[in-house]
Amino acid sequence: MLESLQTPPLSTAEVLIEFSWTKVVDALVRITVAYLLALPIGWDREAAARTAGLRTFPLVAVGSCGFVLLGSQIFSADPLARVLVGLMTGIGFIGGGAILKNKGIVSGTATAASIWITGAVGAAVAVNRFEIAAVLSLLTFFTLRWVKPLKEVVRKRSGAAPEGREVEEDEDVPEN
């Protein structure tokens, strides 16, 4: 059974043959739509001073989209599909370990989502779907690097608590 999961290494010519701009555009559109549809949810959570917000929700949507795109490509290869399910669960567990809570301050949710997406990147590479891996990687990098300043703007405008501080329903939001 293990032999059926192993594929021979591809030569450079075979990798170039597998590459298709049509597939790149398709993956880019689908993953970007998932990203954009998750942004308003993240915005709402950020404005309400929830720990998972403007970065975490889009990253989870992107990772989910990547895993489903991969699964749809390998579904007929039943053993490989089962490996993918185990991978998603296992990496989610590892990512959960990155979330920390200390004295009402929760941190690490974007890191946990990023760990999970990195699993999707690795899985995409393993099944020769480099376009999915590239789109996932670029959107994750973009989110982690450039959405953080936007988080600060959203929190400041909404009067929300500082980053990493979950506000209870009956708790007043501190003034900045």
Side-chain angles (χ1 to χ4, degrees):
M1 180 165 158
L2 200 53
E3 292 172 11
S4 67
L5 296 178
Q6 297 174 341
T7 57
L10 296 174
S11 68
T12 304
E14 288 173 314
V15 168
L16 292 176
I17 291 169
E18 288 286 322
F19 183 82
S20 160
W21 281 107
T22 303
K23 288 181 178 179
V24 170
V25 171
D26 182 59
L28 180 62
V29 168
R30 290 171 189 244
I31 293 170
T32 301
V33 167
Y35 185 89
L36 293 173
L37 290 174
L39 272 176
I41 300 165
W43 185 285
D44 176 72
R45 298 291 72 210
E46 195 71 44
R50 301 296 181 220
T51 56
L54 205 49
R55 296 189 306 168
T56 306
F57 280 85
L59 289 176
V60 170
V62 164
S64 298
C65 185
F67 275 118
V68 171
L69 285 173
L70 288 169
S72 68
Q73 297 297 309
I74 62 173
F75 188 75
S76 62
D78 188 44
L80 192 52
R82 282 188 265 157
V83 168
L84 185 62
V85 169
L87 179 69
M88 290 171 53
T89 304
I91 292 171
F93 180 76
I94 292 168
I99 300 172
L100 304 172
K101 183 174 182 178
N102 185 19
K103 297 181 182 176
I105 297 174
V106 178
S107 62
T109 55
T111 299
S114 302
I115 290 168
W116 191 64
I117 291 172
T118 303
V121 170
V125 170
V127 296
N128 296 325
R129 293 303 307 268
F130 299 105
E131 73 284 355
I132 293 173
V135 172
L136 289 171
S137 180
L138 290 172
L139 279 176
T140 302
F141 179 78
F142 168 82
T143 300
L144 294 175
R145 179 61 62 148
W146 288 294
V147 175
K148 190 163 185 156
L150 185 57
K151 283 176 59 94
E152 302 303 324
V153 169
V154 171
R155 286 183 180 246
K156 193 171 215 168
R157 285 189 181 170
S158 68
E163 181 181 2
R165 173 84 163 84
E166 183 86 25
V167 177
E168 299 299 323
E169 294 296 327
D170 58 351
E171 180 181 357
D172 289 333
V173 177
E175 294 293 321
N176 290 342

